[in-house]
Amino acid sequence: MSETVERHEFGAEVGRLLDLVVHALYSDREIFLRELVANAADATDRRRFEALTNEALALPADAKVLIAPDKAARTLTISDAGIGMAKDDLAQNLGTIARSGTRAFSQALGEAKAGEEKATEGEDLRPSLIGQFGVGFYSAFMVADRVTVTSRRAGTEEAWTWASDGKGSYTLEPASRDQAGTDIVLHLKDDADEYLESYRLDHVVRKWADNIAVPIAIRDEEGKEETANRGTALWRKPKSEITDEQYKEFYRTVSHGFDEPWATLHWRAEGALEFTGLLFVPSMKPFMAMEDERRSKVRLHVRRMFITDEAELLPNWLRFVQGVVDTDDLPLNVSREMLQSTPTLQKIRRAVTTRVINELTSRSKNTEKAEEYQKFFENFGPILKEGIYEDFERRAEIAPLLRFRSSTEDGWTSLPDYVSRMKPEQEAIYYLVADDVEALKNSAQLEGFRARGVEVLLLSDHVDAFWPEQLGKFDDKPLRSVTQGAADLSKFKPEGEAGEIPAADKLVAALKLALGADVSDVRTTDRLVDSAVVLAASGSGPDLQMQRLLRRAGRGFGGSAPILEINPRHPLIRSLDARAEAGDDLASEAGTLLDLARVQDGDTPRDPVAFARAVATALAGTSAPSA
């Protein structure tokens, strides 16, 4: 080995951490290119900043980051015309893991800015510092078995080459470079051939670094260079400089949709926590069911560099929102897994969620655009309702945003509107859950409420069986399923003359005996008008729809059996009551009545074949010719 080549051992912590960085810190192997491009863009920004006070450091007019694959040599080179590194910089920044020239520069810059006045009104002298040489740089060893870094510090004539195989030591030796800047050469592993293909490199750059301001060019096999990134972060521009068409184009890019955004939220949070958000609420449902992917895919950027779309910046119940959140308050070289536990990201999540809720609240209260909000709710209401079930902290904010069909109102209504229409003696908000709205409108469960002019909310979304119990109450009014609230009807006087409920004691006793454990009780009711029977849930436990869902899911239901309520004014019940008085055996009729009540509620008969036979027998009896 030449005497000019210096061999050094890595810092003591490198041996312990390098394997972790290469094999565990990053979940996507292609991240190495994001890290190296970020470092190169950062070095370019640093040189541009220092040139403000030292003209000798001015950037070349064509300054860019160049990515050059060489298939013959099996190398990938990332070059920049940035600030560069001297010998000591290479040893300190690359010889000690997690030490960063960028970090040191940022700290020094912050101290200097504390007592500095702006040189030019409106001019921000701070560069957009992205990379942190250290952990991020060592991601190169995920795809390379040897890395060389040749660098020349701007303002000096001397260049040095740092080289290592990442196994405990590195070398430093003098080198030559025509201009200031850095060349990083990766000697690729046998399984990293994909990073020798220009199209693959272009895809990675567009995915991870499309919005970096410094041009990022890729050189193909013929020596041609093409810029791979757009270089403009739309969200970083003032709203006054962005047209509606630009917003729409960007929305379609991040959402992969063809519609226009229903709402656009663009803001910058400043203070203890700084970030920029550009979010969109779609105007159409996506082609793929949102039940298949239940996590928010809002993109997290750090200083314009894409980090991940798996940071869950919004809760699951706002997963329909698309867009970007960009912050300077997070380090770039932290894995997506580690991001989940950072306090800064938790604060950003809270702030972004609040901003979206405030926007939806404002739009929901705009009576002039009520139809637009109803359209939004038709698209995403079922997802929004999940928040009532999942998010205890936000339930009170979500509830006014919900919309419902009603037994008394045309179109959609809200919980605040329902409360404003409640009868003076009414204490609860009543609702009924079924699989579709038409079944709800014709349900026997509503007859008594309609007869008394009591409004019932009609719920038919797949989540409606779950969230009302979690919400519990709204505006101090308890939510109550009509299948559980029959006793409250005694507080309301029926419209018209209903008269006293006829007694049917013999029939009630006969039905109880015949049905046994299939029901918890049999009783007469005045909440039916046209139907003969109806089911009610016991006073405790889930309502009937929830019980059905549990049975369909194979989870069973260990609570009380339903209550069978009969309408003693109905001709069928009067006829059966007369037969009970005469001592007839009503076991078969009792089973048919219970199955009728189940079918009315959208359930299946206990024994469909037996029920079909009973109905056929009854029809044959009514159609038999007279003697």
Side-chain angles (χ1 to χ4, degrees):
M1 182 179 292
S2 170
E3 294 181 359
T4 60
V5 178
E6 303 176 10
R7 177 176 293 277
H8 301 268
E9 298 297 319
F10 280 125
E13 72 276 23
V14 176
R16 297 190 300 269
L17 294 179
L18 185 56
D19 186 68
L20 174 65
V21 171
V22 173
H23 297 104
L25 184 61
Y26 298 102
S27 53
D28 283 342
R29 202 181 189 197
E30 66 187 27
I31 292 296
F32 85 91
L33 190 58
R34 181 193 75 180
E35 297 290 337
L36 299 183
V37 167
N39 289 334
D42 166 54
T44 304
D45 273 346
R46 288 183 61 187
R47 181 172 176 179
R48 180 181 292 111
F49 176 78
E50 293 192 9
L52 294 174
T53 53
N54 185 352
E55 294 182 0
L57 303 182
L59 277 167
D62 60 348
K64 61 180 175 290
V65 176
L66 177 62
I67 302 172
D70 185 333
K71 289 184 178 180
R74 292 190 54 77
T75 61
L76 181 66
T77 303
I78 296 94
S79 302
D80 66 71
I83 194 66
M85 288 178 284
K87 176 184 177 182
D88 289 345
D89 296 327
L90 287 167
Q92 291 177 0
N93 295 339
L94 305 188
T96 304
I97 200 166
R99 178 181 174 85
S100 166
T102 296
R103 183 182 300 153
F105 175 71
S106 298
Q107 292 172 348
L109 179 63
E111 294 170 1
K113 289 291 290 181
E116 175 187 341
E117 294 182 359
K118 285 191 175 181
T120 306
E121 182 65 22
E123 181 182 6
D124 188 354
L125 299 182
R126 293 172 294 178
S128 179
L129 301 172
I130 303 172
Q132 291 192 342
F133 257 121
V135 174
F137 167 76
Y138 280 91
S139 65
F141 287 101
M142 291 193 293
V143 297
D145 49 26
R146 181 172 176 78
V147 178
T148 63
V149 180
T150 300
S151 192
R152 172 181 163 184
R153 173 79 183 188
T156 70
E157 300 296 325
E158 192 177 73
W160 285 81
T161 293
W162 177 100
S164 177
D165 59 5
K167 295 181 179 179
S169 65
Y170 64 91
T171 61
L172 284 170
E173 61 180 305
S176 61
R177 199 176 193 277
D178 293 339
Q179 296 180 339
T182 300
D183 301 312
I184 301 176
V185 181
L186 279 62
H187 300 264
L188 296 178
K189 297 178 179 179
D190 292 340
D191 62 352
D193 286 352
E194 61 185 298
Y195 301 109
L196 293 171
E197 301 292 344
S198 298
Y199 72 88
R200 180 72 172 102
L201 298 169
D202 182 81
H203 171 77
V204 175
V205 170
R206 290 182 184 277
K207 177 180 178 180
W208 296 103
D210 198 35
N211 298 286
I212 293 297
V214 178
I216 303 169
I218 298 175
R219 180 180 293 160
D220 62 20
E221 296 180 28
E222 298 177 357
K224 297 179 180 178
E225 297 178 8
E226 290 192 12
T227 302
N229 63 322
R230 288 183 294 185
T232 301
L234 188 71
W235 58 88
R236 290 263 180 165
K237 299 175 67 175
K239 289 192 288 186
S240 59
E241 297 179 10
I242 305 174
T243 66
D244 288 343
E245 285 303 316
Q246 288 174 316
Y247 275 131
K248 292 175 185 177
E249 179 184 354
F250 184 73
Y251 162 70
R252 289 166 181 157
T253 298
V254 297
S255 69
H256 305 290
F258 301 94
D259 58 326
E260 296 183 0
W262 177 77
T264 300
L265 292 72
H266 188 189
W267 80 104
R268 177 165 179 79
E270 297 181 331
L273 185 67
E274 295 190 358
F275 66 90
T276 299
L278 178 52
L279 303 179
F280 303 94
V281 178
S283 59
M284 294 175 58
K285 293 180 182 179
F287 291 114
M288 298 297 291
M290 300 202 76
E291 288 77 10
D292 296 339
E293 174 55 70
R294 297 197 68 252
R295 294 185 177 183
S296 167
K297 304 298 284 186
V298 170
R299 296 162 60 95
L300 173 66
H301 290 239
V302 173
R303 298 175 179 88
R304 306 204 304 185
M305 177 68 76
F306 174 53
I307 301 299
T308 180
D309 61 0
E310 297 179 2
E312 298 183 53
L313 292 168
L314 287 170
N316 295 342
W317 49 272
L318 288 175
R319 61 185 178 273
F320 52 85
V321 177
Q322 308 285 337
V324 169
V325 171
D326 189 356
T327 182
D328 293 352
D329 292 340
L330 287 171
L332 176 70
N333 57 358
V334 179
S335 72
R336 288 176 294 182
E337 292 77 11
M338 293 171 61
L339 280 171
Q340 299 303 315
S341 59
T342 60
T344 298
L345 193 61
Q346 292 173 7
K347 293 176 182 177
I348 291 175
R349 287 190 185 108
R350 178 180 292 274
V352 173
T353 301
T354 298
R355 181 66 179 83
V356 174
I357 290 177
N358 289 344
E359 179 70 19
L360 294 178
T361 299
S362 175
R363 288 173 175 260
S364 71
K365 292 180 178 179
N366 188 340
T367 56
E368 295 181 359
K369 297 185 177 180
E371 291 185 4
E372 292 184 12
Y373 186 79
Q374 290 169 6
K375 181 63 177 176
F376 154 77
F377 195 82
E378 288 175 3
N379 287 331
F380 304 110
I383 299 173
L384 203 59
K385 289 176 182 178
E386 293 175 12
I388 299 288
Y389 185 78
E390 298 176 355
D391 198 331
F392 173 81
E393 183 181 352
R394 300 280 188 175
R395 284 173 189 164
E397 298 173 88
I398 300 169
L401 303 177
L402 306 185
R403 295 294 182 266
F404 312 93
R405 299 295 184 180
S406 163
S407 63
T408 62
E409 302 295 313
D410 294 330
W412 295 85
T413 191
S414 66
L415 288 172
D417 289 341
Y418 179 101
V419 170
S420 71
R421 294 190 296 266
M422 287 175 59
K423 289 178 172 291
E425 66 274 28
Q426 185 177 342
E427 298 177 355
I429 297 171
Y430 295 106
Y431 68 90
L432 177 61
V433 184
D435 292 333
D436 64 82
V437 173
E438 291 307 314
L440 286 166
K441 291 179 179 178
N442 298 319
S443 173
Q445 300 282 1
L446 296 179
E447 292 178 9
F449 291 85
R450 280 205 179 100
R452 292 161 175 80
V454 178
E455 183 177 2
V456 178
L457 298 177
L458 309 179
L459 314 183
S460 60
D461 289 327
H462 62 281
V463 298
D464 285 333
F466 301 92
W467 67 263
E469 185 177 351
Q470 298 298 321
L471 182 60
K473 60 177 60 178
F474 178 81
D475 198 12
D476 292 327
K477 305 292 191 300
L479 273 71
R480 189 167 299 154
S481 169
V482 300
T483 66
Q484 295 175 313
D488 291 343
L489 282 179
S490 60
K491 300 176 182 180
F492 307 104
K493 183 179 180 180
E495 297 177 357
E497 294 297 327
E500 293 293 326
I501 304 176
D505 296 341
K506 288 282 188 179
L507 178 59
V508 168
L511 295 178
K512 284 183 180 180
L513 180 63
L515 295 173
D518 286 340
V519 296
S520 61
D521 195 11
V522 178
R523 66 192 182 197
T524 58
T525 183
D526 64 347
R527 71 184 184 108
L528 292 176
V529 177
D530 300 317
S531 300
V533 290
V534 72
L535 291 179
S538 60
S540 60
D543 70 358
L544 297 179
Q545 177 70 0
M546 176 61 83
Q547 294 180 32
R548 285 192 288 273
L549 290 176
L550 291 174
R551 287 198 299 272
R552 292 172 188 172
R555 295 172 58 184
F557 173 65
S560 301
I563 299 168
L564 178 65
E565 297 185 341
I566 61 174
N567 177 7
R569 299 189 183 93
H570 194 279
L572 174 60
I573 301 302
R574 290 204 306 268
S575 173
L576 291 175
D577 186 43
R579 291 178 58 189
E581 291 285 350
D584 290 356
D585 181 6
L586 299 178
S588 176
E589 288 81 354
T592 302
L593 285 178
L594 177 57
D595 286 337
L596 277 173
R598 290 168 61 95
V599 171
Q600 283 180 169
D601 274 354
D603 208 345
T604 58
R606 296 164 301 161
D607 184 343
V609 174
F611 178 70
R613 288 172 180 167
V615 172
T617 300
L619 290 174
T622 58
S623 61
S626 58

